[in-house]
Amino acid sequence: MEKLFGLDSLLEPEEIEIRSTVRKFASDRIRPHVAQWFEEGTLPARDLAKELGSLGVLGMHLEGYDCAGMSATAYGLACLELEAVDSGIRSLVSVQGSLAMFALHRWGSEEQKQTWLPPMARGEAIGCFGLTEPDFGSNPAGMRTNAKRDGDDWILNGTKMWITNGSIADVAVVWAQTDEGIRGFVVPTDTPGFSAPEIKKKVSLRASVTSELVLDGVRLPASAMLPTAQGLRGPLSCLNEARFGIVFGSIGAARDCLETAVEYSMSREVFDKPLAGYQLTQAKIADMTLEVGKGHLLAYQLGRLKDSGGLTPEQVSTGKLNNVREAIDVARTCRTILGANGITLEYPVMRHANNLESVLTYEGTTEMHQLTIGRAMTGEAAFR
Ligand code: TGC
Ligand code: FAD
């Protein structure tokens, strides 16, 4: 990849160093165990969160409150290296840093920030982000979860669905309808009336905790509301952050599949010579190399735009749509190169392919990003 695209020439030495540190952590600490976690449908999330906190990747691109204050590009590279091992690990980091911590950092009161951000940056407290509901995923504007005033307090009722980190979270950022439109609430998960049953039987993102959030008369003080977020703009601004991480992360998963398939093709003999020596195999490898290289270039360009403060939601949609769609295509093609071995957890390829099915859906489906790009190109909103 490097010899064809010269990608490192686009990075600062400090960014390359951060990438190496995260790559080493992911290879030493996560890769040896992740297939087993995936098979068992478990994740030692509490321990991992503390280690990821020590590494400095939780809320890595946020300033102050014990966050590392790194560039957006450096944060993207960390996501890339984590997702090269498993999308579930990148999800843990995305939801913590880009959704829950970003929501508090961007929209929270000083008290909310002081209470939650430092322990979250250290991985001592885990956060989740409740936007999606059973009947409202792509269209969160229709959400039914509501918050009603009772004196100075708020009472929350409703159900959130498909919430990453839900059952292990110490704090949930929950979005709800109020008389003033959609508002965000900071909900300590030990509040009476809050529960988070885990969703089982997943065949994708198995090394990740996914939960329902049930809010049954959850009473919160007035200070629990995020004071400056009003309307859908609040949660959607957080999605931009997490989608940005996915632009990089998905290409990490694709790179891992491609490296695995190239290595396998060189050692696997078919019809008396290595699989790598056949033109059909090389055509697959060449085409995938182009997509993985172009995906890196797109991610780096969006990183630079974000670092200069000029990244638009439409540009994030462009990266999320392209890189996830190409990554899943690469994963499936790599699976063909591995033959039957490709369907096992001995190799990471089908695990990545299955994970990428979730990544294709969450943080805005392919169709939502097509519609966003369509609107940017034509001026016509075709969501409804
Ligand atoms: P629309 O009328 O377009 O906009 C409403 C208000 O929001 C503003 N806005 C944005 N602001 C910041 N960033 C964005 N990307 C924004 N998009 C829109 C907009 O300017 C407006 O503001 P204002 O002040 O004028 O009110 O809203 P709509 O109802 O038509 O919806 C648009 C649509 C479909 C694009 C949006 O609803 C959408 O993105 N839907 C997809 C939902 C989604 O992605 N959910 C993700 C849930 S979280 C998750 O999946 C986590 S997975 C984590 C992991 O494990 O990694
Ligand atoms: P739907 O909205 O029902 O969509 C179904 C299909 O219809 C899709 O193909 C969609 O693109 C298509 N569609 C919808 N509207 C249109 C239209 N107007 N035109 C054409 N096609 C359309 N959410 C959170 O809030 N927090 C989390 O932490 C979180 N983590 C997740 C983790 C996992 C593993 C998964 C799988 C999901 C997670 N989600 C989370 C939820 C995720 O964001 C939603 O699943 C996603 O937004 C899609 O919503 P939906 O599943 O309800 O699909």
Side-chain angles (χ1 to χ4, degrees):
M1 191 66 54
E2 189 54 32
K3 66 184 162 212
L4 294 175
F5 286 89
L7 292 166
D8 282 359
S9 67
L10 299 171
L11 300 176
E12 299 296 332
E14 191 195 17
E15 292 165 341
I16 293 176
E17 206 177 304
I18 291 168
R19 181 183 67 186
S20 304
T21 306
V22 178
R23 187 180 293 183
K24 181 163 175 12
F25 171 84
S27 309
D28 293 353
R29 172 67 183 102
I30 302 173
R31 194 178 285 281
H33 311 288
V34 75
Q36 191 188 338
W37 296 339
F38 184 99
E39 185 166 23
E40 292 169 354
T42 57
L43 183 72
R46 287 225 154 258
D47 291 344
L48 269 183
K50 287 191 190 124
E51 291 175 56
L52 290 161
S54 302
L55 196 64
V57 298
L58 302 178
M60 177 174 170
H61 60 312
L62 304 178
E63 292 284 347
Y65 306 96
D66 291 356
C67 301
M70 296 290 175
S71 71
T73 304
Y75 171 60
L77 292 168
C79 289
L80 192 154
E81 294 304 329
L82 293 171
E83 193 150 358
V85 175
D86 195 273
S87 302
I89 310 302
R90 197 267 310 134
S91 263
L92 171 66
V93 170
S94 288
V95 170
Q96 177 85 347
S98 290
L99 292 180
M101 290 176 74
F102 179 83
L104 287 156
H105 196 272
R106 172 73 182 81
W107 303 110
S109 66
E110 192 52 37
E111 185 196 347
Q112 290 165 342
K113 292 182 202 185
Q114 295 285 359
T115 305
W116 289 109
L117 289 177
M120 289 173 88
R122 291 193 294 270
E124 289 160 7
I126 294 180
C128 69
F129 182 89
L131 180 63
T132 305
E133 300 190 355
D135 294 326
F136 297 95
S138 298
N139 178 23
M143 70 175 67
R144 293 205 184 103
T145 297
N146 61 77
K148 294 202 182 335
R149 285 272 191 197
D150 183 32
D152 282 347
D153 290 351
W154 289 98
I155 310 287
L156 266 65
N157 281 291
T159 307
K160 298 290 177 182
M161 194 68 182
W162 305 112
I163 307 305
T164 302
N165 297 350
S167 326
I168 53 164
D170 301 284
V171 62
V173 173
V174 173
W175 300 93
Q177 299 280 5
T178 72
D179 289 344
E180 317 153 358
I182 291 171
R183 307 292 309 232
F185 294 86
V186 182
V187 186
T189 56
D190 57 2
T191 311
F194 180 96
S195 58
E198 192 172 345
I199 298 171
K200 296 288 190 184
K201 300 193 177 166
K202 291 182 298 175
V203 290
S204 171
L205 229 70
R206 288 180 57 74
S208 174
V209 176
T210 315
S211 317
E212 201 179 332
L213 305 185
V214 181
L215 299 126
D216 181 9
V218 171
R219 178 179 288 275
L220 297 169
S223 61
M225 191 175 74
L226 293 172
T228 57
Q230 192 159 5
L232 208 51
R233 207 161 63 85
L236 293 183
S237 68
C238 307
L239 301 190
N240 293 334
E241 300 296 305
R243 289 168 179 172
F244 173 81
I246 291 173
V247 175
F248 281 77
S250 53
I251 227 62
R255 184 195 74 196
D256 194 51
C257 290
L258 181 57
E259 284 174 0
T260 306
V262 169
E263 200 181 313
Y264 185 89
S265 73
M266 293 192 298
S267 60
R268 174 72 175 175
E269 296 222 337
V270 292
F271 295 92
D272 307 322
K273 68 172 188 184
L275 183 54
Y278 291 89
Q279 290 181 350
L280 284 175
T281 310
Q282 291 198 7
K284 287 181 191 177
I285 289 171
D287 289 349
M288 290 191 291
T289 302
L290 292 184
E291 291 312 325
V292 176
K294 288 189 284 181
H296 276 86
L297 291 172
L298 179 54
Y300 290 6
Q301 166 66 357
L302 297 193
R304 293 297 170 227
L305 289 173
K306 188 162 168 57
D307 280 324
S308 63
L311 186 65
T312 66
E314 292 76 17
Q315 289 167 335
V316 177
S317 281
T318 305
K320 202 270 181 181
L321 171 61
N322 184 77
N323 283 8
V324 180
R325 193 166 59 183
E326 294 307 327
I328 201 166
D329 239 40
V330 165
R332 288 170 181 158
T333 305
C334 288
R335 216 288 303 149
T336 68
I337 291 178
L338 270 72
N341 279 320
I343 73 155
T344 70
L345 286 171
E346 293 298 320
Y347 295 88
V349 174
M350 189 131 166
R351 175 167 54 78
H352 281 307
N354 278 16
N355 284 338
L356 287 165
E357 292 289 345
S358 287
V359 183
L360 200 65
T361 287
Y362 67 36
E363 290 295 349
T365 62
T366 300
E367 293 77 11
M368 287 304 107
H369 293 297
Q370 285 173 321
L371 290 169
T372 300
I373 294 167
R375 180 175 57 184
M377 294 299 289
T378 66
E380 296 281 348
F383 297 98
R384 292 180 168 81

